[in-house]
Amino acid sequence: MTTVVVTAAVIERDGRFLVTRRQAGVHLAGVWEFPGGKCLPGESLDTCMARELFEELAVVAAVDQEIFTTTHEYPERIVELHFFRCEISGEPVPQQGQEMRWAARAELMALEFPPADAELIARLSAG
């Protein structure tokens, strides 16, 4: 089974987290996620994170420490997911037509996220 290495940004402003919704036609369509994406072959995690945020939201990111890593096995693939705390300059603007919102800490548990995000969501929700 293929392992896909993915980075995701935990961006917090005024007690709210930036989340985007996966579009129709992709793996886990319709669920909310922290913005990010797949690493290119030979690409560092930091470089991937910054590139994905620029491509998806047209923002320049300062990639801070990795705060959580998990591996999750889906029926069709294994995802190795690296979450980074990030700061962004400017206002994010979705570049691929995806829905975006700033979700309060208390709202996170009510939103549907991929199964791989469950432990991080629990940690963030607890404060």
Side-chain angles (χ1 to χ4, degrees), residues 15 17 19 31-32 34 101-115 117-127:
F17 295 92
V19 294
V31 303
W32 290 94
F34 294 96
R101 68 187 280 188
W102 290 93
R105 191 177 297 277
E107 287 179 83
L108 292 174
M109 293 295 273
L111 297 175
E112 183 185 3
F113 281 88
D117 294 13
E119 190 174 339
L120 177 68
I121 296 297
R123 287 181 182 193
L124 293 175
S125 296

Side-chain angles (χ1 to χ4, degrees), residues 7-111:
T7 59
V10 178
I11 302 165
E12 185 177 6
R13 273 192 192 162
D14 303 320
R16 295 180 175 273
F17 295 92
L18 181 65
V19 294
T20 56
R21 192 173 228 160
R22 294 181 64 83
Q23 294 177 278
V26 300
H27 182 243
L28 300 172
V31 303
W32 290 94
E33 66 179 353
F34 294 96
K38 296 180 195 133
C39 288
L40 300 173
E43 185 176 41
S44 72
L45 295 173
D46 288 13
T47 300
C48 173
M49 186 77 275
R51 176 185 55 76
E52 285 287 344
L53 288 172
F54 185 76
E55 288 175 2
E56 285 185 24
L57 300 170
V59 291
V60 173
V63 181
D64 201 353
Q65 83 263 23
E66 187 168 346
I67 58 172
F68 185 70
T69 303
T70 188
T71 300
H72 190 84
E73 190 170 326
Y74 292 98
E76 65 283 349
R77 69 187 71 172
I78 298 169
V79 176
E80 179 185 308
L81 189 51
H82 300 266
F83 291 95
F84 288 88
R85 194 163 295 281
C86 296
E87 297 289 330
I88 55 173
S89 55
E91 285 304 311
V93 178
Q95 300 297 298
Q96 299 160 349
Q98 72 273 40
E99 198 177 333
M100 180 191 91
R101 68 187 280 188
W102 290 93
R105 191 177 297 277
E107 287 179 83
L108 292 174
M109 293 295 273
L111 297 175

